[in-house]
Amino acid sequence: MILLQKAFSLLFSIIELLIMIDVILSWIYIKDNSFTRLIHIFTEPFLSPGRKIQDRLMPGLPVDLSPIMGLFILWIIESIVNTLLGIF
């Protein structure tokens, strides 16, 4: 069970790192390539709900808050998984 908890912890840490890399890449103009597409594949499920919420509540905001919301969503999922793994 401890091995499974460590594996999930590593997975969540990698996703957090990929979100941070996605934020940094958004500041730098890089043409679409396989590396950026790979990062977007892993980060988009966490960032798209934040973008939808931001567009609905604050349309036209020049700052993208979706990485913060994405990290919050990831934190909630991590808490749920840790709780479920702690029960079993």
Side-chain angles (χ1 to χ4, degrees), residues 5-86:
Q5 286 177 329
K6 287 186 179 188
F8 273 110
S9 178
L10 179 63
L11 175 68
F12 289 124
S13 296
I14 289 171
I15 294 173
E16 286 176 9
L17 179 66
L18 290 176
I19 289 174
M20 294 301 164
I21 291 171
D22 191 23
V23 168
I24 293 170
L25 288 177
S26 72
W27 297 338
I28 303 167
Y29 176 73
I30 297 177
K31 293 184 180 183
D32 194 30
N33 58 36
S34 60
F35 177 69
T36 57
R37 280 192 299 266
L38 181 66
I39 289 186
H40 290 306
I41 287 171
F42 288 108
T43 60
E44 197 59 31
F46 298 99
L47 298 180
S48 65
R51 287 191 187 113
K52 289 178 185 176
I53 292 170
Q54 181 177 338
D55 286 342
R56 188 170 283 174
L57 296 177
M58 301 169 277
L61 189 69
V63 177
D64 185 16
L65 300 176
S66 63
I68 295 169
M69 293 181 213
L71 289 172
F72 183 70
I73 291 168
L74 187 65
W75 175 74
I76 291 172
I77 294 171
E78 184 176 7
S79 298
I80 291 169
V81 168
N82 285 336
T83 302
L84 291 174
L85 287 176

